[in-house]
Amino acid sequence: MSTFLVVLLASVVISTLRLDAIGQRVVARPQVLVQERCCSIQTIKRVVGCERLAYVDERKCRGSCTSAQSVKVITDGGIDNFVGPQPTSPSDLFQSSSFLSGAAVSYYFDKAIPWDRRTAHTIKVPSTCADIARIKLKFCVKASLSFMAINDYVYIWNPQPGVDTALWYSRLSDLFGTWGRNRNACHEATYLPGDANGIFNYVNTYRELHIAMQDDTFFDYTQLTVYYDKTPKTCQAKSTWSTHVPVLLHTGWTKVKVTHDLKCDCDKVQPPPCQRQGYHQVFYANSIFETKVDVGRCVGTCTPFYGFESDEDRARDDTAVQAAVQAIARGSRPSIPIFHPIKNLICQELRTHIEFIKGPNGGQCVEVVDRCDCRGRCYRKDHFEEYVEVIKGDTGIGERRRVFNVGKCAGDCLGKDQVCQPGSTYNAPSFRLRDGTLKVVNIIRYCTCK
């Protein structure tokens, strides 16, 4: 008997050991899974000072707003075609509700006897850091042999203190068309945010759903499918409170401002707006002419907003624009259709300039992005032309530099045979060049697809 005990003890010890890379025995330690905390107020240590460090406590919003799962299916009772019975599990709060308190209750799936019992169950949704996007509820029921089953109802209940009422209920004969003894059927419904009965909001808030049957019909199973919100979100402070606390630094006692977060919530991660982003390109690599240039590029999203419907509207004179703005401020419709909700905008290059890069064969011109903005597919882009104007005055002949934003059309058109081209132009006041010729600069007002 003692030999058996020794062998058993040795097997237990060996099972807890493993060999490392060099053949030494080391104790196998159990893996501990650390679950990330959900978005909440947590106390952190903030370092202050330089030569003498000090620490102050701050309450900050920290934690996750996402879920590792995108869909969770919770099936209770077993999909077994009314083979059982299997126990239900109504919560203590549900059992103390006015619907169940003092009533004859059946605590089983698949059990039809005795009759005149209210079958109740609470579906528990696993707690996660993410909000719920939508839920789908399915349940299958069967009437007992009682002729009174024709009057049975199904309920979804809110047992919260001070509420204690049905979120939704229905007579089974209304839900399935007809109902009576020994009949069975299944019902499936999807609930989205803002549903009229508040079922979605209740599940999203309390992470449970209370369902019951009254009183000669029983459940085969209940199935709740939960679709979690996968929208990227971040834990943000909704309100803060600041104070000053004394801290001993190398210069002596001083007061440091500490800001505490009071309320946290998960906000959607907003995509970056349309903006210029650095984008470097290398020209004539691995040669004496190798040059690195930040040519830039336009990235980001464009959200719909009220503004100019097109470059044509943008080009209208200031008087008409001001009149339209005043009309909108008075609550009346402007006489010209300038301001409209603009959609389908694209982050486009609005202004560029040309840089000359020296190369083995003379070099090349490189277009560099200076500014980006949200525009339509076909749009007017900044383009500058520079001239030297000759001016005759009482003191003689002088010169001055003239720069015009003549613009150019960029983008594309959806139409097969359409081209993005100037829709309207105008001439700037003429002037004389050095050679005496009269210069007329044509400026593009807006671009359109023709």
Side-chain angles (χ1 to χ4, degrees):
M1 187 67 176
S2 59
T3 304
F4 173 75
L5 292 176
V6 171
V7 172
L8 178 62
L9 180 60
S11 64
V12 172
V13 173
I14 292 174
S15 65
T16 61
L17 299 178
R18 64 178 177 86
L19 295 177
D20 64 4
I22 59 176
Q24 295 179 341
R25 290 181 177 181
V26 294
V27 178
R29 301 180 182 275
Q31 292 184 352
V32 179
L33 299 179
V34 180
Q35 184 177 5
E36 186 176 5
R37 296 179 63 178
C38 295
C39 179
S40 61
I41 296 178
Q42 303 175 23
T43 301
I44 64 172
K45 296 286 187 181
R46 180 162 72 91
V47 180
V48 295
C50 182
E51 295 181 7
R52 180 189 178 96
L53 299 181
Y55 300 90
V56 294
D57 288 340
E58 280 187 329
R59 295 190 295 273
K60 292 295 182 181
C61 292
R62 297 289 188 273
S64 174
C65 294
T66 59
S67 170
Q69 291 181 307
S70 58
V71 181
K72 177 68 175 179
V73 181
I74 308 156
T75 304
D76 297 330
I79 306 175
D80 51 16
N81 196 23
F82 304 97
V83 176
Q86 297 175 359
T88 62
S89 55
S91 66
D92 294 339
L93 183 61
F94 192 18
Q95 294 186 65
S96 64
S97 67
S98 60
F99 183 77
L100 296 181
S101 179
V105 181
S106 172
Y107 294 97
Y108 294 96
F109 292 97
D110 310 315
K111 189 174 182 180
I113 299 175
W115 301 336
D116 298 325
R117 295 290 189 270
R118 298 183 179 185
T119 305
H121 179 60
T122 297
I123 304 174
K124 293 289 187 180
V125 179
S127 179
T128 64
C129 298
D131 286 332
I132 297 174
R134 60 189 174 98
I135 59 175
K136 182 171 66 176
L137 174 65
K138 182 179 180 180
F139 58 86
C140 291
V141 294
K142 184 177 182 178
S144 66
L145 296 178
S146 172
F147 288 99
M148 298 303 294
I150 190 173
N151 296 319
D152 285 355
Y153 282 78
V154 59
Y155 294 85
I156 296 178
W157 202 265
N158 179 355
Q160 294 300 317
V163 183
D164 197 15
T165 186
L167 292 171
W168 171 83
Y169 65 92
S170 175
R171 188 192 294 263
L172 296 181
S173 58
D174 295 334
L175 194 63
F176 300 120
T178 59
W179 195 250
R181 62 194 304 267
N182 209 34
R183 190 178 187 277
N184 65 80
C186 295
H187 175 71
E188 186 173 310
T190 299
Y191 301 99
L192 300 172
D195 69 274
N197 302 303
I199 297 174
F200 171 87
N201 291 337
Y202 187 90
V203 174
N204 193 31
T205 302
Y206 298 102
R207 301 300 166 113
E208 60 185 14
L209 185 143
H210 310 278
I211 188 169
M213 192 66 60
Q214 180 189 0
D215 52 4
D216 297 305
T217 299
F218 56 96
F219 290 103
D220 177 27
Y221 68 91
T222 62
Q223 186 177 80
L224 184 67
T225 305
V226 180
Y227 300 87
Y228 292 104
D229 186 5
K230 301 301 290 184
T231 304
K233 294 184 178 181
T234 180
C235 187
Q236 298 285 349
K238 293 301 180 181
S239 59
T240 60
W241 172 71
S242 298
T243 185
H244 289 80
V245 297
V247 176
L248 180 60
L249 301 178
H250 70 284
T251 55
W253 285 96
T254 184
K255 287 189 175 182
V256 176
K257 183 178 180 181
V258 177
T259 301
H260 298 290
D261 295 340
L262 299 180
K263 183 180 179 182
C264 305
D265 200 1
C266 292
D267 289 339
K268 291 183 179 180
V269 177
Q270 298 296 331
C274 178
Q275 59 186 335
R276 182 193 187 277
Q277 185 183 76
Y279 183 66
H280 294 84
Q281 287 187 352
V282 177
F283 298 89
Y284 308 114
N286 302 322
S287 72
I288 61 173
F289 298 99
E290 179 175 323
T291 305
K292 186 177 181 180
V293 180
D294 181 8
V295 297
R297 60 183 175 183
C298 295
V299 297
T301 58
C302 295
T303 56
F305 65 95
Y306 276 82
F308 293 101
E309 187 176 24
S310 66
D311 283 340
E312 181 178 2
D313 294 330
R314 191 185 301 274
R316 294 182 185 273
D317 60 271
D318 293 338
T319 304
V321 173
Q322 292 175 5
V325 172
Q326 294 173 1
I328 293 175
R330 294 193 302 267
S332 60
R333 186 180 181 86
S335 57
I336 53 177
I338 291 183
F339 295 103
H340 297 274
I342 303 175
K343 301 178 181 180
N344 302 321
L345 297 176
I346 306 173
C347 189
Q348 306 272 32
E349 300 172 359
L350 189 62
R351 181 175 298 177
T352 60
H353 73 273
I354 301 297
E355 288 189 8
F356 181 77
I357 307 298
K358 292 183 178 180
N361 297 318
Q364 62 175 310
C365 293
V366 178
E367 188 175 25
V368 177
V369 177
D370 292 327
R371 179 184 169 193
C372 303
D373 203 356
C374 294
R375 293 289 187 269
R377 298 189 67 90
C378 174
Y379 67 102
R380 181 190 187 275
K381 180 178 178 180
D382 289 344
H383 181 67
F384 297 91
E385 291 183 0
E386 181 178 344
Y387 300 93
V388 176
E389 179 185 7
V390 176
I391 304 173
K392 293 182 179 181
D394 296 339
T395 58
I397 298 176
E399 295 180 348
R400 68 173 178 178
R401 178 172 169 264
R402 300 286 299 271
V403 179
F404 297 89
N405 185 0
V406 298
K408 65 178 180 180
C409 294
D412 55 12
C413 300
L414 295 177
K416 182 178 179 181
D417 300 324
Q418 290 185 328
V419 179
C420 183
Q421 56 184 291
S424 175
T425 62
Y426 70 95
N427 293 329
S430 59
F431 55 92
R432 296 280 178 182
L433 300 178
R434 288 174 176 172
D435 59 2
T437 58
L438 190 64
K439 180 62 179 179
V440 178
V441 179
N442 186 256
I443 299 177
I444 299 175
R445 289 181 182 271
Y446 64 90
C447 301
T448 187
C449 292
K450 294 183 180 179

